[in-house]
Amino acid sequence: QPAWSLDGSKIAFTRDTGHAIDIWMVNADGSGEQAVTQDKLISVDPTWISNDEILYTSTLGGHGLGLWRVKTDGGKPSVVANDDNYQNLEASLSPDGKQIAFVSNRRSFHIPGYETPVPEPGSGDIWVMDLDGSSPRVLVEEETLWHARPHWSPDGHNIAFIAARNDHNQVWLANSSTGVPAQLTFI
């Protein structure tokens, strides 16, 4: 899961040591390899949000998979989205650096006799929210099977993602404002 820094000088990546999966980084020339996270948990899907800060998915916080951000100089991680009952993962930064698209099963429903809403069955929808964790909204209601990998277009107008409609993974685009999807590949 390599990810280039915004200035192209470093590459963040996921390393499985057999005891933990952490985020590491290395200079583009292969020198200066160092751990960014050392949580001894699962930390994956690094995405640079500045030349010295990474957004990633982790089990940090003990509430399943959440979205976290950390300075690459060994700073303390801070939460972006970590919910008690939901999984949030596969974040992608918008070109203007203000929003993220991600996969989440945040939609919930109420079961008669239970006070707490439970996550809706299924694997997750495509969501968009501000980088500070505010203003979350469902962009596309989709059975993603956790393989959606949403990514913003360079102009920020669309988000590409994978959907397994009709039992085949296909590439789709969704308008980043309206969420209206359009299928791009057909198998």
Side-chain angles (χ1 to χ4, degrees), residues 32-48:
E33 186 176 309
Q34 67 183 48
V36 176
T37 64
Q38 297 180 32
D39 305 319
K40 298 187 178 16
L41 300 167
I42 297 173
S43 296
V44 295
D45 292 331
T47 299
W48 293 83

Side-chain angles (χ1 to χ4, degrees), residues 62-185:
H63 301 293
L65 293 169
L67 300 176
W68 295 81
R69 59 194 292 177
V70 66
K71 294 282 189 179
T72 58
D73 63 3
K76 182 180 176 184
S78 61
V79 67
V80 175
N82 192 39
D83 306 300
D84 288 339
N85 298 314
Y86 310 119
Q87 306 295 320
N88 304 288
L89 62 154
E90 298 182 358
S92 172
L93 185 66
S94 64
D96 64 7
K98 295 179 181 178
Q99 295 183 305
I100 56 172
F102 63 103
V103 176
S104 180
N105 64 342
R106 289 170 164 236
R107 276 191 300 147
S108 59
F109 65 99
H110 289 85
I111 297 176
Y114 290 89
E115 290 183 26
T116 306
V118 297
E120 188 168 301
S123 59
D125 300 312
I126 307 295
W127 284 72
V128 171
M129 75 177 169
D130 293 343
L131 184 56
D132 66 5
S134 64
S135 305
R137 64 182 171 89
V138 175
L139 182 69
V140 179
E141 293 181 4
E142 181 65 49
E143 184 70 24
T144 62
L145 303 176
W146 301 124
H147 300 295
R149 299 277 179 213
H151 286 280
W152 294 81
S153 61
D155 63 9
H157 295 299
N158 292 292
I159 296 172
F161 64 98
I162 301 298
R165 298 178 186 190
N166 302 321
D167 297 324
H168 295 286
N169 284 334
Q170 303 291 346
V171 178
W172 289 72
L173 279 185
N175 180 283
S176 62
S177 297
T178 66
V180 173
Q183 187 172 350
L184 294 184
T185 62

Side-chain angles (χ1 to χ4, degrees), residues 12-47:
F13 61 97
T14 301
R15 174 171 278 164
D16 184 347
T17 64
H19 302 287
I21 302 174
D22 279 307
I23 304 298
W24 285 65
M25 70 177 179
V26 64
N27 293 326
D29 67 3
S31 66
E33 186 176 309
Q34 67 183 48
V36 176
T37 64
Q38 297 180 32
D39 305 319
K40 298 187 178 16
L41 300 167
I42 297 173
S43 296
V44 295
D45 292 331
T47 299

